[in-house]
Amino acid sequence: MGCDSSDYSDNVNTAISKTLRIVNDLGLHARSAAKLAKLAAEASGGVWIMKNGNAADATSMLDILTLACPKGTEITISVDDEADVDILEHIAALVRSGFGE
């Protein structure tokens, strides 16, 4: 079963979101995507990553990697549930820190 990122974009709530820039030299690669997905999985609702109009389920490392986000890429992270604003803040801090790399 294939996964088209455009399937997600119609369901994304951009009202609760943050736009960020990937700052680490390796970009959003497997290790950083795994860290992000682990945080997103703690949310009670959906967490999404958008790049150039394409959205990915932030709980899926594979979906995140399909966005291909090298250093300098601007992404938007959004949450479906207001109760997950703290998760959004933690993800934003992770991205801003360069995923600890």
Side-chain angles (χ1 to χ4, degrees), residues 2-12 48-57 63 66-67:
C3 183
D4 181 358
S5 63
S6 64
D7 294 342
Y8 297 122
S9 59
D10 294 336
N11 301 321
V12 175
W48 307 94
I49 301 176
M50 293 188 70
K51 173 194 161 199
N52 297 333
N54 294 315
D57 178 352
D63 280 5
T66 64
L67 291 178

Side-chain angles (χ1 to χ4, degrees), residues 12-14 16-18 46-49 76-80 88:
V12 175
N13 176 4
T14 57
I16 310 169
S17 64
K18 288 198 174 288
V47 181
W48 307 94
I49 301 176
T76 300
I77 311 285
S78 64
V79 295
D80 289 342
L88 177 60

